[in-house]
Amino acid sequence: MPRFMHLARVTTMVLLIISTTTARADIVIVINEASAVRQISHSEAVNIFMGRYRRLPNDSVALPIDQAPLKARFYRALVQKDMAEINSYWARLVFSGRASPPQQTDTLKDLVDIVTHNNNALGYVDAAHMPPHMRVLLTLSESP
Amino acid sequence: MTNILRLFRSRLALRAAASIVAIVGVLGIAFLLSAVHLRAESEKKIQQTRLEGLISTVERTAQIACFLEDHQLADEVTQGLLSNRIVREARLIRGDGSALADHVNANEHSSGTPITRAINSPFEPGRQVCRLMLVPDQDWIDSMVNNATRFLSVALVLQLSGIGLSVILVVFYFVTRPISDISQKLHALEAETGQKLPPPGGHHKDEIGTLVHSVNAMIDRLVSSLSEERRQRLAREIEERRYRTLFDNVEAGIFELDDQGQLLSANPAFCRLFLEGRALDLDAPLIAFTTLASEGGPTLQELTTRRARRDGTREWEMAVGEGDRRRWVNVMVSRLEEGRLQGVAHDITERRRAAEAAEKLAVTDPLTGLGNRLGFERRLGVIDRYQRLHPEYQHALMMLDFDHFKQVNDVYGHHAGDEVLKQIAGMLRAISRQHDYPARLGGDEFVLLLDHRTPRDDLAGMAQRLIDSINQPLILSSGQQVRLGVSIGIAVLGSDTREVQALVQLADQAMYRAKREGRNTWRFHDRNITFDI
């Protein structure tokens, strides 16, 4: 009997780990279905989100949107940096005004609102909770 | 300059110091050069590292500036770099070659070799966004290198001179000072008094101490050998004085001759013997030894020929002086060394006289003083030799036999007989000439051996005169008178015979013939009458 209990506990833990991994599997950069842009490269995603160019491949202006709950995971997946580094990066650029950080949203709902209403807006969501009417431009795997 | 050179040669400390300074100097320069070279290299590396470090410091900001092409940020970076004096120019270059930011220090310094670093995107590690080029300020680097090497040089020079000075002091203190100390003490040392050289303080056990001990041992040996030599010299002087005394006082004459037979030295005894007491004058012309002899002695050739000189001691008898002062000297000469002869001379006059007297005694008849039988035979021997040398010499022999002499003895006694014999001897002596030889052979048997220059007629006259004088009455000491007759036989050597023994027999026979034919007469040997001999 105790032996069965032990097995059950191990199994539960394994399942838990698997489910967590699965839950944080991928982050996808999304755009309104109506946009003409089909996909972007990783490099284009870095340029857009890190403020180098605010321009999409079809030369329309790009409007990157941050989503607070996923922000840390996103930048980790995109440029392998933690939030402190990202904040420090933007802090350096405050005075020059040459570039500015993406617009910030607090929830997925807000993000979905902006993306739904603006064809140039780019956001990122958890691949497991993909909202409707969105097109995936780039999938960022969160492999360690 | 020469003074300095002389000082240099005479001062060990100075020479050692100069050598050390030279060696230290050469080594020092070599060390210094290599050290400066190494130091310069390392300083250059340090400056290089510093530049690299500067680049690393600003790299993140530069990455961002390049990534965003943010001029303001890029200016910030480059100006920040220029605040380091080592940087003369800082430039951020885009991928297309245009400058994002470029700042140059406004001085006249020269530029060094630029360093370029690729600046990657801050977010995509493999993606180059621009290049950062730094041009170092060569003058500044040089001055840094110079500062470093100057410090090093000063330190090295100080160290080397310190070492050199220490070595000089050590050499002076441990080597030159003890040596000069020893030298001074050695000068002042009175070795004869047994004084010893003390080793310098603190050097008892080391090499200098050993040197001092060796010197002391050597002094000991020298002093002992010196005193030994002195002792020997003293002994030799005593010996020499002893010999000198002997030489001066000995009765024997001692002399030296050169290889020409000339006198080189002579002792007083020699001078007394040969020079009538005059000392040998060494400044006068040398006296040849052979001229000193009046009879006998060596000839110059005997003295000086090589063979003669090589032989051992040789001996001569020689006479010196004439007349009453004639002395006989025995001389022994031996070789002293090459070209030098030594001689000893003894006065043998007395001995010779004694020998002569003994000789004379041996051949003399004690009763009459005439020759005896031995003397007669010796004289015969001499005549025999004359005869062989000169066959023309004619020696005559008279043999005397007294008639009835036995009766004198019987009648008057032996004493009277002796007296008669003495008187007859006187007659014989009276008739004899200088070279005639009268002898009594024994009893009443007399002979007279005559000079070879006597003619036959003279012989007859002499015989007759002898008979006449003998026929005179002889007066004895007792007053008695004695009459004697004599028969004389004469034989002549050379004409009658050539043998002396035969001469005696022939004279004897002639004497008997005289007796037979009437006594008291004389007869020549008659060659017509032959006898069996």
Side-chain angles (χ1 to χ4, degrees):
Chain A
M1 196 62 181
R3 197 168 173 185
F4 177 69
M5 286 282 282
H6 181 72
L7 190 66
R9 218 155 68 195
V10 171
T11 313
T12 313
M13 277 177 69
V14 169
L15 283 175
L16 207 74
I17 291 164
I18 291 169
S19 71
T20 311
T21 313
T22 312
R24 303 185 56 170
D26 291 316
I27 290 176
V28 289
I29 295 174
V30 293
I31 196 164
N32 195 329
E33 262 181 346
S35 171
V37 179
R38 295 281 176 244
Q39 60 174 19
I40 55 172
S41 68
H42 182 268
S43 187
E44 282 167 337
V46 170
N47 287 342
I48 289 166
F49 275 90
M50 298 318 292
R52 196 178 188 190
Y53 308 122
R54 290 282 154 88
R55 203 176 299 282
L56 288 168
N58 61 359
D59 266 0
S60 56
V61 175
L63 180 65
I65 309 291
D66 270 340
Q67 189 202 166
L70 268 183
K71 197 173 175 183
R73 282 175 60 196
F74 173 71
Y75 283 107
R76 165 71 53 200
L78 184 69
V79 293
Q80 287 86 41
K81 294 197 186 299
D82 58 26
M83 280 317 296
E85 285 172 303
I86 298 299
N87 289 340
S88 144
Y89 172 75
W90 286 120
R92 273 178 222 257
L93 300 170
V94 167
F95 301 103
S96 70
R98 172 72 178 74
S100 53
Q103 187 182 339
Q104 184 102 358
T105 58
D106 292 335
T107 62
L108 177 64
K109 188 177 173 298
D110 292 344
L111 174 89
V112 170
D113 272 354
I114 293 169
V115 173
T116 311
H117 292 101
N118 190 338
N119 283 354
N120 288 338
L122 286 89
Y124 47 84
V125 297
D126 192 326
H129 307 286
M130 184 70 188
H133 313 299
M134 301 279 174
R135 180 184 296 141
V136 174
L137 289 180
L138 181 66
T139 303
L140 301 167
S141 73
E142 277 186 305
S143 55
Chain B
M1 192 63 198
T2 45
N3 282 343
I4 292 171
L5 270 178
R6 194 177 307 128
L7 205 65
F8 211 68
R9 278 197 209 99
S10 61
R11 294 268 189 275
L12 179 61
L14 200 64
R15 203 158 65 229
S19 313
I20 291 162
V21 164
I23 293 167
V24 164
V26 169
L27 284 180
I29 287 167
F31 279 146
L32 198 60
L33 286 179
S34 54
V36 163
H37 179 70
L38 288 175
R39 191 73 186 84
E41 287 299 307
S42 86
E43 185 62 27
K44 273 180 200 158
K45 277 205 186 87
I46 287 171
Q47 298 302 337
Q48 188 79 23
T49 316
R50 210 171 140 198
L51 285 172
E52 301 275 354
L54 281 178
I55 292 174
S56 299
T57 309
V58 299
E59 191 170 12
R60 279 172 66 84
T61 316
Q63 278 178 328
I64 293 166
C66 289
F67 180 69
L68 294 179
E69 300 209 343
D70 188 334
H71 284 283
Q72 226 170 335
L73 198 57
D75 282 348
E76 211 46 51
V77 168
T78 49
Q79 254 168 352
L81 284 173
L82 280 190
S83 66
N84 287 284
R85 292 186 60 184
I86 190 174
V87 182
R88 172 157 162 74
E89 184 180 356
R91 192 188 296 172
L92 277 169
I93 306 161
R94 291 194 193 92
D96 60 3
S98 59
L100 181 64
D102 186 3
H103 279 92
V104 183
N105 253 337
N107 53 27
E108 294 299 314
H109 291 176
S110 55
S111 306
T113 317
I115 303 175
T116 307
R117 176 86 69 92
I119 302 295
N120 288 339
S121 157
F123 305 110
E124 293 166 288
R127 191 183 186 88
Q128 184 179 330
V129 285
C130 61
R131 286 175 292 133
L132 174 58
M133 189 179 86
L134 280 187
V135 180
D137 185 335
Q138 192 60 43
D139 288 357
W140 171 256
I141 289 177
D142 286 349
S143 80
M144 292 311 281
V145 169
N146 286 345
N147 279 345
T149 54
R150 193 179 307 130
F151 173 75
L152 184 70
S153 311
V154 169
L156 252 177
V157 164
L158 280 179
Q159 191 185 358
L160 287 176
S161 30
I163 289 171
L165 199 66
S166 316
V167 170
I168 289 166
L169 282 178
V170 165
V171 165
F172 176 74
Y173 187 76
F174 284 109
V175 180
T176 38
R177 207 181 56 162
I179 286 177
S180 68
D181 188 33
I182 290 171
S183 161
Q184 278 174 3
K185 281 179 186 160
L186 202 58
H187 270 297
L189 194 72
E190 291 169 2
E192 296 88 343
T193 62
Q195 235 181 343
K196 287 288 166 59
L197 198 62
H203 290 285
H204 292 272
K205 303 260 181 203
D206 60 12
E207 288 85 345
I208 286 175
T210 313
L211 174 71
V212 168
H213 288 312
S214 305
V215 168
N216 278 336
M218 196 187 72
I219 287 173
D220 276 350
R221 278 202 304 279
L222 283 178
V223 165
S224 71
S225 75
L226 265 178
S227 52
E228 172 65 15
E229 198 168 307
R230 194 173 301 157
R231 200 184 58 71
Q232 282 179 356
R233 199 171 59 223
L234 214 65
R236 213 158 45 232
E237 274 170 15
I238 290 170
E239 193 85 340
E240 214 170 276
R241 214 174 303 144
R242 189 183 296 154
Y243 281 122
R244 188 79 223 173
T245 313
L246 265 177
F247 181 77
D248 286 343
N249 298 330
V250 75
E251 269 308 307
I254 299 171
F255 59 97
E256 274 183 346
L257 302 177
D258 63 9
D259 52 1
Q260 300 301 312
Q262 292 172 317
L263 272 176
L264 293 175
S265 69
N267 71 341
F270 182 89
C271 296
R272 281 196 299 279
L273 273 174
F274 287 89
L275 304 173
E276 298 171 343
R278 283 179 286 113
L280 184 66
D281 185 1
L282 293 173
D283 296 326
L286 293 173
I287 303 167
F289 181 72
T290 48
T291 62
L292 295 173
S294 59
E295 189 187 329
T299 63
L300 185 62
Q301 196 184 5
E302 281 175 322
L303 270 182
T304 58
T305 54
R306 183 175 293 275
R307 196 183 62 77
R309 274 181 283 141
R310 205 172 44 235
D311 289 346
T313 305
R314 288 157 298 146
E315 197 168 349
W316 294 276
E317 285 188 4
M318 58 193 279
V320 181
E322 294 294 343
D324 293 341
R325 290 161 64 187
R326 187 182 174 95
R327 310 288 296 175
W328 280 93
V329 181
N330 170 277
V331 174
M332 281 187 287
V333 175
S334 51
R335 180 175 172 274
L336 187 65
E337 59 185 3
E338 187 60 43
R340 221 170 164 85
L341 299 167
Q342 192 181 45
V344 182
H346 292 282
D347 187 340
I348 54 163
T349 310
E350 298 307 323
R351 198 176 78 203
R352 200 179 163 101
R353 279 186 188 152
E356 276 172 1
E359 174 73 9
K360 198 168 178 185
L361 205 63
V363 297
T364 303
D365 175 39
L367 180 66
T368 60
L370 299 180
N372 61 7
R373 184 174 287 276
L374 181 64
F376 173 66
E377 279 174 1
R378 286 208 184 148
R379 183 55 72 100
L380 275 182
V382 171
I383 285 172
D384 188 32
R385 283 201 294 283
Y386 270 133
Q387 169 66 30
R388 288 175 208 286
L389 286 171
H390 309 282
E392 71 278 10
Y393 284 5
Q394 298 205 332
H395 293 275
L397 175 65
M398 289 189 187
M399 191 153 286
L400 286 72
D401 190 76
F402 297 95
D403 304 329
H404 314 299
F405 182 77
K406 201 170 175 342
Q407 291 167 7
V408 176
N409 271 346
D410 294 345
V411 175
Y412 303 104
H414 283 285
H415 200 71
D418 286 351
E419 214 170 320
V420 170
L421 289 176
K422 278 185 193 168
Q423 292 198 15
I424 290 168
M427 290 169 198
L428 274 173
R429 207 177 281 127
I431 210 164
S432 296
R433 296 155 304 176
Q434 193 184 348
H435 295 290
D436 297 342
Y437 185 78
R440 173 176 171 248
L441 301 184
D444 60 339
E445 202 179 338
F446 286 81
V447 290
L448 182 59
L449 197 53
L450 292 156
D451 193 349
H452 63 91
R453 285 164 295 195
T454 316
R456 213 175 177 84
D457 292 343
D458 285 5
L459 285 174
M462 277 180 75
Q464 190 54 55
R465 275 205 306 280
L466 197 56
I467 290 167
D468 290 345
S469 57
I470 287 170
N471 285 345
Q472 299 293 318
L474 303 173
I475 298 159
L476 301 181
S477 54
S478 61
Q480 294 161 311
Q481 285 196 355
V482 176
R483 282 183 179 272
L484 276 179
V486 67
S487 304
I488 298 176
I490 305 171
V492 180
L493 191 67
S495 58
D496 294 337
T497 178
R498 296 203 175 278
E499 299 294 325
V500 287
Q501 293 307 324
L503 179 71
V504 176
Q505 285 178 355
L506 291 180
D508 206 37
Q509 286 160 10
M511 185 268 290
Y512 277 111
R513 198 155 61 87
K515 248 184 213 304
R516 272 196 313 274
E517 293 175 4
R519 296 186 189 263
N520 208 21
T521 185
W522 50 270
R523 288 289 183 273
F524 277 102
H525 165 65
D526 188 351
R527 265 167 277 180
N528 300 320
I529 303 170
T530 53
F531 296 90
D532 297 325
I533 299 170

